[in-house]
Amino acid sequence: MSLGLHVRRWLWLVLAYACLALGIVGIFLPGLPTTPFVLLAAYAAARGSKRLHAWLLAHRLFGPMIRDWEASGAVSRKAKYWAIGTMALCALIFFLTAPKWWMAATGTAIMAIVGAWLWRRPEPARA
């Protein structure tokens, strides 16, 4: 393996672990999304570590979400409800704590756009 490929593989691996760490923190920290970071971790792991990618695919919580996304860009209805509910809670917190109304409105508008996009994603076909 050439030095360039070796460095690139390590960069993908570092990105995968960093995104996975952010995704795990997002489970406990409102406002930090879990799903996008886990999906990005899987994407990076597929390029940097077959072992990490296989572990993510087999994971009890993350595996189904990653497999659905990789297969068809699908998001489960339960994940959609959780994501939109969390965004609504964050919007409320924004409006209660932001020093200027337009700051809260900007964040809420971005979350509304993301929520609309998310809701339009297909849902996985279950047997």
Side-chain angles (χ1 to χ4, degrees):
M1 184 183 319
S2 74
L3 181 61
L5 288 176
H6 188 70
V7 168
R8 195 173 312 151
R9 180 181 170 272
W10 276 100
L11 289 174
W12 281 118
L13 190 59
V14 167
L15 178 63
Y17 277 111
C19 289
L20 184 58
L22 287 170
I24 291 170
V25 169
I27 293 171
F28 306 102
L29 186 64
L32 185 65
T34 297
T35 303
F37 285 116
V38 171
L39 294 175
L40 185 56
Y43 179 84
R47 284 141 185 81
S49 170
K50 295 202 184 299
R51 188 172 72 172
L52 176 60
H53 188 249
W55 180 82
L56 287 168
L57 290 172
H59 193 274
R60 180 179 65 85
L61 294 175
F62 302 142
M65 171 179 44
I66 295 167
R67 290 190 301 271
D68 291 342
W69 183 261
E70 287 183 351
S72 60
V75 179
S76 73
R77 185 163 297 213
K78 181 180 177 183
K80 291 177 184 182
Y81 281 136
W82 272 103
I84 290 173
T86 303
M87 285 188 267
L89 178 62
C90 288
L92 177 63
I93 293 169
F94 279 168
F95 279 103
L96 293 174
T97 62
K100 305 277 187 194
W101 71 268
W102 61 266
M103 294 174 177
T106 301
T108 300
I110 291 168
M111 288 189 294
I113 292 167
V114 171
W117 173 84
L118 179 65
W119 195 257
R120 295 178 49 85
R121 300 301 311 155
E123 293 179 11
R126 298 285 184 222

